[in-house]
Amino acid sequence: MLRSVSLGLALATLLLSGCGRENPRLIPQTRAEALTDTVDQIARRTDAEDCTGAQRAVQRARGQVAELPRRVDAELRANINEWLDHLADEVPKDCNPAPEETPTPSATPEETETPSPTASPEKTKTPSPTPTETPAPTEVPTVEPPGTGGVNPGNEG
């Protein structure tokens, strides 16, 4: 909502800088005041969350700009219309109230009971399994070729 008020004030400043009697290309004083009042209505209605009223006030402001004398500078008109376009875009955003944030429930309740300390059971040692012995490798008997009879051929006596 503050955005639309600040936009309204910016537009009002723009309008007031454009009014004057010395330069015929600027907005005449009475018309500038009427347009400033309309912009203020946009801000008030937006703050009051009256979206429809704020949009109607934007349309009134557009009509006031369209009815400005031809001698008013075309660039000034374009700038004001651009601001009114921006205001019209912001009214729906600023006018509707922001959804209230609902607190999310916490995972743990606020009041929790502290469990009373309980005695832990005595630790008992679990015996480790007894290692099983690995059998020693068995010796494989050496078999001698037949016909040698256990005698070494180089040692005949």
Side-chain angles (χ1 to χ4, degrees), residues 14 25 71-83:
L14 176 67
R25 296 183 53 130
R71 62 182 164 79
V72 173
D73 185 63
E75 190 174 331
L76 178 58
R77 270 184 220 257
N79 286 340
I80 294 170
N81 280 318
E82 188 176 313
W83 273 102

